[in-house]
Amino acid sequence: VIRSDVDVLSLRADVLRSRIALRQVELEHHTLASPVAGVVDEVFADEGEYVTPGARVALVHDPADVWIEANIKETEIGRVLEGAQVSISFDALPGKACAGRVEHIRSAAAAEFALIPNANPTGAITKITQRIPVRVALGEDCPRARPGSMTTLKIKANDGAR
């Protein structure tokens, strides 16, 4: 009787081990991994919710890879050069400034790639000064910036003026 009980318990243990292995495989197939190490800013799906492949589930950013994108008037962009020094003031830290530099100047105005084009069915043209996106890299002395933070920039122009 004891031997048959041992055999039954041994079979039950094998079944339980198989269930554990199956659950581990399921867990591996249902684990989300970010392509970057970072901070989760927003979650778009709730626990247990079904999502389709390719659906946006969370928004993540790498705190070590934060920059500022400024939109400079096209009438002023000729005075901005890549590599120019930038003084950055954060609205969240009044009275404190840090250094940065112009990393990249885009070759097209921001409105060129707008999702909704500015259509004018009348044919009358209203001239509006366009803005050119400029990426500014944060210097070592900059505080830990958060995406979406408001800043004021002073870019050293190529003619020596600010």
Side-chain angles (χ1 to χ4, degrees):
V1 172
I2 294 174
R3 283 191 187 150
S4 69
D5 284 347
V6 169
D7 290 341
V8 168
L9 291 174
S10 178
L11 289 173
R12 285 183 185 169
D14 289 341
V15 168
L16 290 175
R17 278 192 280 279
S18 296
R19 285 184 184 170
I20 290 171
L22 178 63
R23 294 292 181 196
Q24 287 175 334
V25 169
E26 287 177 352
L27 183 61
E28 289 173 10
H29 286 283
H30 292 89
T31 300
L32 297 176
S34 173
V36 297
V39 177
V40 176
D41 294 314
E42 192 170 354
V43 178
F44 302 106
D46 295 321
E47 185 177 335
E49 183 177 347
Y50 287 99
V51 293
T52 58
R56 183 165 67 167
V57 177
L59 181 63
V60 178
H61 83 273
D62 180 358
D65 189 28
V66 177
W67 66 88
I68 297 171
E69 186 158 298
N71 293 311
I72 309 297
K73 290 181 181 180
E74 65 181 332
T75 55
E76 299 290 328
I77 199 69
R79 300 174 59 207
V80 178
L81 296 175
E82 287 187 8
Q85 296 175 359
V86 180
S87 174
I88 305 167
S89 300
F90 290 90
D91 288 3
L93 301 166
K96 294 184 179 179
C98 64
R101 67 175 179 76
V102 173
E103 187 173 71
H104 180 71
I105 302 171
R106 291 213 189 145
S107 56
E112 183 67 23
F113 304 108
L115 293 176
I116 302 173
N118 189 5
N120 189 348
T122 64
I125 297 174
T126 304
K127 189 172 180 179
I128 298 171
T129 302
Q130 298 297 312
R131 309 251 175 192
I132 310 293
V134 172
R135 180 182 279 197
V136 175
L138 302 175
E140 297 283 330
D141 63 336
C142 282
R144 190 170 165 180
R146 291 185 167 86
S149 298
M150 296 300 291
T151 61
T152 302
L153 305 177
K154 293 182 182 176
I155 301 173
K156 185 171 182 181
N158 67 0
D159 61 1
R162 285 192 179 259

